């Protein structure tokens, strides 16, 4: 009976490789998640809307790496002006650094007619991207 030495050697290497890979698995249950405010680059959508009718805007914002996931867009709507902040959730322990734009829907709805100006943080200390919507009855 002839032994299959190359096959046995490859099998041993494969088992050793799996043992090494398992030993490198993270076991501290860290989620590697954080949040950060994202600068807005563009806002598009209708300039007019009807009271109590949802209007969908597209907000383009920058994420800083490949782990950037869904963002939260939380304004407090007022006719005197609204500061809109986009907060991105980053999930993952190994992220490729790369800044790129993500587009996400944002629904604007006002119960009252008037002119509403949404101000989005565009990065830095003074960069603001604005979107004005006239709400009619």
């Amino acid at each position: 009976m002839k032994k299959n030495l190359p096959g046995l050697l490859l099998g041993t290497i494969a088992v050793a490789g799996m043992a090494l890979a398992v030993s490198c698995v993270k076991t501290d249950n860290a989620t590697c998640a954080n949040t950060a405010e994202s600068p807005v680059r563009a806002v598009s959508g209708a300039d007019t809307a009807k009271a109590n009718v949802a209007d969908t805007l597209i907000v383009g914002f920058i994420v800083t790496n490949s782990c950037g996931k869904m963002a939260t867009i939380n304004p407090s709507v007022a006719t005197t002006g609204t500061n809109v902040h986009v907060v991105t959730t980053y999930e993952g322990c190994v992220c490729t650094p790369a800044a790129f734009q993500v587009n996400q829907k944002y629904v604007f709805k006002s119960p009252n007619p008037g002119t509403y100006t949404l101000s989005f943080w565009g990065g830095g200390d003074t960069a603001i991207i604005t979107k004005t919507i006239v709400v009619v009855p």
Side-chain angles (χ1 to χ4, degrees):
M1 191 159 118
K2 200 176 196 186
K3 290 193 175 188
N4 185 356
L5 190 55
L8 181 62
L9 182 59
L10 286 176
T12 303
I13 291 172
V15 170
M18 286 188 292
L20 181 61
V22 169
S23 69
C24 293
V25 172
K26 198 171 195 169
T27 58
D28 62 1
N29 293 328
T31 59
C32 297
N34 65 0
T35 59
E37 190 166 5
S38 296
V40 171
R41 291 295 177 248
V43 180
S44 61
D47 295 331
T48 59
K50 287 191 172 193
N52 285 317
V53 176
D55 183 34
T56 301
L57 304 174
I58 302 298
V59 178
F61 56 92
I62 302 297
V63 296
T64 58
N65 64 47
S66 63
C67 291
K69 302 291 181 195
M70 186 67 73
T72 303
I73 303 173
N74 288 325
S76 55
V77 176
T79 54
T80 58
T82 301
N83 292 322
V84 181
H85 298 275
V86 177
V87 178
T88 301
T89 299
Y90 293 88
E91 295 178 352
C93 298
V94 180
C95 307
T96 305
F100 56 95
Q101 182 171 315
V102 173
N103 295 321
Q104 184 170 318
K105 291 180 181 179
Y106 166 67
V107 177
F108 172 82
K109 181 179 176 182
S110 175
N112 302 314
T115 300
Y116 294 82
T117 300
L118 305 176
S119 299
F120 296 83
W121 179 68
D125 292 335
T126 59
I128 300 293
I129 306 296
T130 61
K131 175 67 176 169
T132 300
I133 301 172
V134 176
V135 177
V136 296

